[in-house]
Amino acid sequence: MATISGNNGTIFVGSGALAEIKSFSLTTTNDVIETTPMGVSFKTFTAGLSEASGDITCHLDASDTDGQEALDAGATVSLDLRPNGDSTGEPKFTLTAIVNSVAISQTINDVVERSFSFTASGGVTQGTV
């Protein structure tokens, strides 16, 4: 696979594209369970349950009713994260997400931003557009 530039990413909330995306991240982690019995010199482990979470930052767009306005804290939404846009064959990550938090930040002489954090409810499916 070729290197992907960060300029073409898109996110769909349900079937609508999220407006004014600045950045997004998705992190998958796995619990590690210790299985060490007494009488050994080194610890042993096994894989436990996995989870995923992430963040999205956008330029504030209150007219994005199907995207930014649908991402209220506590909302459960379908997210489709596409790091290289909508072209056929490009990678995508699909998940059901619970929105943990919504924040708005503003700095003098800069664009107002809206950021969202989310936790996956269930797994993340990796596929292609």
Side-chain angles (χ1 to χ4, degrees), residues 33 44 62 68 95 103 105 113:
I33 302 167
T44 57
Q68 290 186 31
L95 61 137
S105 61
E113 294 181 350

PDB file of all heavy atoms in Angstrom, residues 33 44 62 68 95 103 105 113:
ATOM      1  N   ILE A  33      -4.230 -10.152  30.313  1.00  0.00           N
ATOM      2  CA  ILE A  33      -4.569 -10.826  31.562  1.00  0.00           C
ATOM      3  C   ILE A  33      -3.388 -11.692  31.994  1.00  0.00           C
ATOM      4  O   ILE A  33      -2.907 -12.529  31.218  1.00  0.00           O
ATOM      5  CB  ILE A  33      -5.814 -11.707  31.377  1.00  0.00           C
ATOM      6  CG1 ILE A  33      -6.995 -10.848  30.898  1.00  0.00           C
ATOM      7  CG2 ILE A  33      -6.148 -12.454  32.658  1.00  0.00           C
ATOM      8  CD1 ILE A  33      -8.168 -11.653  30.398  1.00  0.00           C
ATOM      9  N   THR A  44       3.450 -14.873  32.692  1.00  0.00           N
ATOM     10  CA  THR A  44       2.800 -15.238  31.433  1.00  0.00           C
ATOM     11  C   THR A  44       1.478 -14.474  31.345  1.00  0.00           C
ATOM     12  O   THR A  44       0.897 -14.085  32.359  1.00  0.00           O
ATOM     13  CB  THR A  44       2.535 -16.753  31.343  1.00  0.00           C
ATOM     14  OG1 THR A  44       1.750 -17.157  32.461  1.00  0.00           O
ATOM     15  CG2 THR A  44       3.845 -17.534  31.318  1.00  0.00           C
ATOM     16  N   ALA A  62     -22.288  24.936  12.417  1.00  0.00           N
ATOM     17  CA  ALA A  62     -23.593  24.672  13.014  1.00  0.00           C
ATOM     18  C   ALA A  62     -24.639  24.293  11.973  1.00  0.00           C
ATOM     19  O   ALA A  62     -25.689  23.759  12.319  1.00  0.00           O
ATOM     20  CB  ALA A  62     -24.061  25.890  13.806  1.00  0.00           C
ATOM     21  N   GLN A  68     -21.961  17.253  12.408  1.00  0.00           N
ATOM     22  CA  GLN A  68     -21.547  17.809  13.695  1.00  0.00           C
ATOM     23  C   GLN A  68     -22.701  17.924  14.684  1.00  0.00           C
ATOM     24  O   GLN A  68     -22.536  17.603  15.864  1.00  0.00           O
ATOM     25  CB  GLN A  68     -20.916  19.189  13.492  1.00  0.00           C
ATOM     26  CG  GLN A  68     -19.574  19.150  12.805  1.00  0.00           C
ATOM     27  CD  GLN A  68     -18.920  20.519  12.754  1.00  0.00           C
ATOM     28  OE1 GLN A  68     -19.120  21.351  13.634  1.00  0.00           O
ATOM     29  NE2 GLN A  68     -18.129  20.750  11.721  1.00  0.00           N
ATOM     30  N   LEU A  95     -17.717   1.573  12.646  1.00  0.00           N
ATOM     31  CA  LEU A  95     -18.010   1.229  14.022  1.00  0.00           C
ATOM     32  C   LEU A  95     -19.270   1.925  14.508  1.00  0.00           C
ATOM     33  O   LEU A  95     -19.681   2.932  13.941  1.00  0.00           O
ATOM     34  CB  LEU A  95     -16.843   1.614  14.940  1.00  0.00           C
ATOM     35  CG  LEU A  95     -16.488   3.103  14.980  1.00  0.00           C
ATOM     36  CD1 LEU A  95     -16.217   3.533  16.406  1.00  0.00           C
ATOM     37  CD2 LEU A  95     -15.258   3.350  14.116  1.00  0.00           C
ATOM     38  N   ALA A 103     -16.612  19.396  22.659  1.00  0.00           N
ATOM     39  CA  ALA A 103     -15.991  20.625  23.158  1.00  0.00           C
ATOM     40  C   ALA A 103     -15.863  21.634  22.026  1.00  0.00           C
ATOM     41  O   ALA A 103     -15.699  21.260  20.858  1.00  0.00           O
ATOM     42  CB  ALA A 103     -14.614  20.322  23.738  1.00  0.00           C
ATOM     43  N   SER A 105     -13.598  25.100  21.067  1.00  0.00           N
ATOM     44  CA  SER A 105     -12.456  25.911  21.487  1.00  0.00           C
ATOM     45  C   SER A 105     -12.269  27.062  20.510  1.00  0.00           C
ATOM     46  O   SER A 105     -12.541  26.945  19.322  1.00  0.00           O
ATOM     47  CB  SER A 105     -11.179  25.073  21.566  1.00  0.00           C
ATOM     48  OG  SER A 105     -10.860  24.531  20.314  1.00  0.00           O
ATOM     49  N   GLU A 113     -13.097  25.784  16.700  1.00  0.00           N
ATOM     50  CA  GLU A 113     -13.083  24.335  16.499  1.00  0.00           C
ATOM     51  C   GLU A 113     -14.103  23.660  17.399  1.00  0.00           C
ATOM     52  O   GLU A 113     -14.404  24.142  18.488  1.00  0.00           O
ATOM     53  CB  GLU A 113     -11.701  23.766  16.816  1.00  0.00           C
ATOM     54  CG  GLU A 113     -10.629  24.220  15.863  1.00  0.00           C
ATOM     55  CD  GLU A 113      -9.266  23.626  16.182  1.00  0.00           C
ATOM     56  OE1 GLU A 113      -9.096  23.013  17.254  1.00  0.00           O
ATOM     57  OE2 GLU A 113      -8.372  23.783  15.337  1.00  0.00           O
TER      58      GLU A 113
END
